[in-house]
Amino acid sequence: RFGRKVTMSGRFCWWLSVITSFCGLTTFLLYNAFIATTEVTDKYGISAATDCPWSEGDPVLFHLRTKLGVNYDAGHWFHMAENFMVQHSILRSTNGLTNASIVIYNFDEDDFESHLNGVTRLMLYLGTISEGSNTKKLHFVSIRKRHRILAQIRKLPSGGTLMIPQSLLITGQAVDLSPLVPVKDRFSNVNINKVSSENRKNVHIRSDSTAIPRDAGTQSSSSSSSVCVKLVGTIGGQWPTPQRGHWFPNRGDIESFRNKIRKACPADAAELNSTRKTKKFKMVLYQRDISRKLANEQEAIQMLTDRLPSKDWEIKIIYHSSQRSPCQLAHSLHDADVLLTPHGFQSMLLLFLPISSILFEVFPYKYFKRGYGPFSNEYGVVHSGVMSPATTWHTQILLSQISTASCMDSKMCRGYARNSDVRLTEHGVKRLLELIHQIYYSQGSLETTSVTNSNISLSQLMNSAERSIPISGFYSSASRSMLY
């Protein structure tokens, strides 16, 4: 009898614990549902509520999905372009581009904005801002994944409004686009507050960090430290990315896009005078700073100098720096006739080239991707290139017995090949001179020295549909269109 009483008591306690747990869980879920639909409080103790009064001139917010089928960070020019800059034509076709004076970009990955550089900030601007906008300030933030406001943003429909604390904004990056900001500082000189040491590596930091002005969408009384924003939309994260089809599919996309570059980077007389070409034609060699550099830079320049008419051509070198403003690059490249560079992210500099100019890439040994070709040709820039021979003995030994196609099918081989430096040989110079002759000397003559084939040309790697570069009257000097 005594044992039976213990058993019954145990069952009673077990059922009591089950009921208590169920009630506790139900209370927890109902409480969180109530909080998510009414008001949330951030870690600073500042509330953020939905359906706040928003008016024209108040900030807008883009929620950015960063995940793609490749690993990248916010500093990679091409992957940021294919995820976010490509939104230009998509949003333009749906009237989704914004003309707000203050724009907030919230990334769905913690600290993603810490790797932004001047060019990728400009790309976000080009993908989301309307052609006739008067945007004064951009904010780049990443609201923490565990933060309740992020869950609220994800549930908010496009056009919905909510209050967010200014304290969240000043922990990110802010870019001032007022007319007083000089060209050398635009998109690269940012205001930062409460950032990690890693964040400070890629940006020039000013001490006068500021949040959104309190008169921009702020509320009175208890919410005076918050700002009312409107969610314009959630963009990015589509894989394959939209550009795998077309970058500028609609009529007027390209001209609108180039007008936005002019708006973001206004012409500066002093900068133009210091970078303007002094001869009929200008070739710019853009040299990478870490991997895949042009190993024989001086030799390549000498070969080009010997074969190009000295009265017609000048060759300038730009060394990559993550600190440089994209507006400085736009001024330096706006009148370039040829951009010569190793294959890589920096080929996105074609954004600033004149329509009808040439982008010529030197690919690593046994590495080839169409990459920038479709974008370049659609944009009106002639794209071509050549493959480098092996630049190290181990690369020669390991890759000489494998085809380029087989290497590109292997992730390990592809990764090994792409990190090699490149060389521009006599064969590569000959191919470039042939292209220059087609584009710029079709009515005259360009004497070139006969050379022997010493490496593999790009045309050998392309399929039959891509072997011939489309050359027509469009690519004449009379049809050139420069940014400035």
Side-chain angles (χ1 to χ4, degrees):
R1 180 182 297 273
F2 181 77
R4 186 176 180 183
K5 286 184 178 179
V6 172
T7 301
M8 292 180 64
S9 176
R11 289 178 179 177
F12 173 78
C13 291
W14 184 84
W15 279 108
L16 181 63
S17 63
V18 169
I19 294 172
T20 303
S21 300
F22 176 78
C23 293
L25 178 62
T26 303
T27 303
F28 174 79
L29 293 175
L30 290 174
Y31 173 78
N32 278 274
F34 173 76
I35 291 294
T37 55
T38 55
E39 186 180 79
V40 297
T41 302
D42 73 348
K43 60 184 176 183
Y44 301 103
I46 303 171
S47 63
T50 57
D51 299 327
C52 55
W54 185 93
S55 59
E56 292 296 330
D58 287 347
V60 300
L61 182 143
F62 281 98
H63 182 57
L64 308 181
R65 293 189 293 245
T66 59
K67 297 294 187 297
L68 294 179
V70 294
N71 294 323
Y72 74 105
D73 63 34
H76 197 286
W77 294 3
F78 180 75
H79 295 312
M80 287 293 287
E82 70 171 341
N83 196 15
F84 299 119
M85 192 183 75
V86 73
Q87 301 295 327
H88 160 73
S89 61
I90 299 172
L91 296 177
R92 181 173 178 264
S93 65
T94 59
N95 295 319
L97 296 170
T98 184
N99 59 0
S101 60
I102 301 174
V103 181
I104 304 167
Y105 299 95
N106 177 59
F107 299 96
D108 65 356
E109 182 67 28
D110 291 351
D111 297 322
F112 190 83
E113 79 283 359
S114 66
H115 296 284
L116 287 167
N117 54 51
V119 172
T120 54
R121 293 187 197 99
L122 172 64
M123 288 175 171
L124 286 166
Y125 172 98
L126 295 174
T128 56
I129 307 298
S130 66
E131 182 179 345
S133 73
N134 193 28
T135 302
K136 294 290 196 306
K137 181 165 282 192
L138 308 177
H139 284 266
F140 305 91
V141 301
S142 56
I143 299 175
R144 298 285 177 173
K145 290 182 179 178
R146 295 186 299 273
H147 206 293
R148 294 186 185 278
I149 295 179
L150 181 58
Q152 193 174 10
I153 291 173
R154 287 173 174 170
K155 294 179 181 179
L156 198 67
S158 297
T161 62
L162 78 161
M163 293 287 293
I164 63 174
Q166 291 197 48
S167 54
L168 287 178
L169 302 180
I170 63 174
T171 58
Q173 301 180 3
V175 170
D176 185 359
L177 295 180
S178 65
L180 297 178
V181 178
V183 166
K184 64 182 181 64
D185 291 336
R186 296 184 76 82
F187 293 95
S188 62
N189 199 354
V190 301
N191 299 332
I192 302 179
N193 191 25
K194 298 180 182 178
V195 293
S196 64
S197 59
E198 183 180 4
N199 196 340
R200 299 176 185 271
K201 293 179 181 178
N202 298 322
V203 293
H204 176 68
I205 302 172
R206 280 170 33 187
S207 59
D208 57 338
S209 300
T210 56
I212 288 181
R214 288 184 179 275
D215 59 350
T218 54
Q219 305 302 306
S220 59
S221 66
S222 62
S223 61
S224 60
S225 295
S226 297
V227 58
C228 182
V229 303
K230 179 172 73 172
L231 179 67
V232 182
T234 299
I235 59 174
Q238 180 180 340
W239 188 260
T241 54
Q243 64 83 19
R244 304 288 165 147
H246 295 286
W247 289 82
F248 305 103
N250 307 311
R251 182 182 296 274
D253 278 349
I254 294 176
E255 187 56 31
S256 171
F257 183 84
R258 289 174 71 84
N259 283 338
K260 290 202 288 187
I261 297 178
R262 297 181 181 105
K263 183 86 172 181
C265 300
D268 181 88
E271 195 74 23
L272 288 173
N273 288 333
S274 67
T275 60
R276 197 180 303 278
K277 59 186 176 185
T278 58
K279 297 184 179 181
K280 184 176 181 181
F281 300 111
K282 180 171 78 173
M283 180 183 300
V284 174
L285 168 59
Y286 195 90
Q287 182 69 291
R288 291 166 62 95
D289 60 340
I290 300 177
S291 64
R292 214 180 312 145
K293 294 184 289 187
L294 184 63
N296 64 331
E297 175 188 305
Q298 292 304 317
E299 179 190 5
I301 292 175
Q302 189 60 54
M303 286 191 291
L304 290 165
T305 301
D306 291 343
R307 289 160 175 77
L308 289 168
S310 58
K311 64 180 179 63
D312 287 349
W313 286 86
E314 64 176 324
I315 301 176
K316 295 188 176 182
I317 306 174
I318 298 178
Y319 296 98
H320 177 72
S321 170
S322 60
Q323 306 290 331
R324 186 180 289 114
S325 166
C327 297
Q328 282 183 297
L329 292 170
H331 282 69
S332 297
L333 295 170
H334 85 281
D335 61 352
D337 300 283
V338 177
L339 174 60
L340 170 63
T341 186
H343 171 75
F345 69 89
Q346 74 284 352
S347 294
M348 286 303 299
L349 290 171
L350 69 92
L351 294 174
F352 308 130
L353 292 176
I355 301 299
S356 78
S357 56
I358 297 171
L359 168 62
F360 194 87
E361 295 186 279
V362 184
F363 289 83
Y365 184 54
K366 296 299 174 77
Y367 183 90
F368 170 71
K369 292 180 70 174
R370 294 176 66 237
Y372 305 92
F375 180 25
S376 180
N377 291 326
E378 187 177 357
Y379 197 60
V381 173
V382 180
H383 175 265
S384 188
V386 71
M387 180 176 285
S388 167
T391 54
T392 62
W393 63 267
H394 52 83
T395 303
Q396 177 66 37
I397 292 174
L398 293 174
L399 299 183
S400 60
Q401 301 304 314
I402 187 173
S403 68
T404 300
S406 297
C407 187
M408 294 303 293
D409 286 338
S410 166
K411 183 177 181 180
M412 182 178 295
C413 182
R414 192 168 64 241
Y416 173 73
R418 73 190 302 270
N419 288 324
S420 299
D421 287 341
V422 300
R423 292 178 60 86
L424 182 65
T425 63
E426 287 188 339
H427 173 67
V429 170
K430 180 183 178 182
R431 279 188 53 81
L432 177 54
L433 293 179
E434 289 173 348
L435 188 57
I436 289 174
H437 175 78
Q438 288 180 290
I439 303 299
Y440 300 120
Y441 290 89
S442 58
Q443 304 302 320
S445 63
L446 174 63
E447 297 296 332
T448 61
T449 303
S450 177
V451 295
T452 58
N453 292 346
S454 57
N455 60 355
I456 302 172
S457 68
L458 186 66
S459 61
Q460 291 176 284
L461 305 175
M462 294 181 173
N463 61 46
S464 58
E466 297 176 303
R467 283 182 183 166
S468 59
I469 298 173
I471 307 298
S472 66
F474 174 80
Y475 298 109
S476 65
S477 58
S479 68
R480 292 176 62 74
S481 172
M482 299 187 294
L483 285 175
Y484 308 112

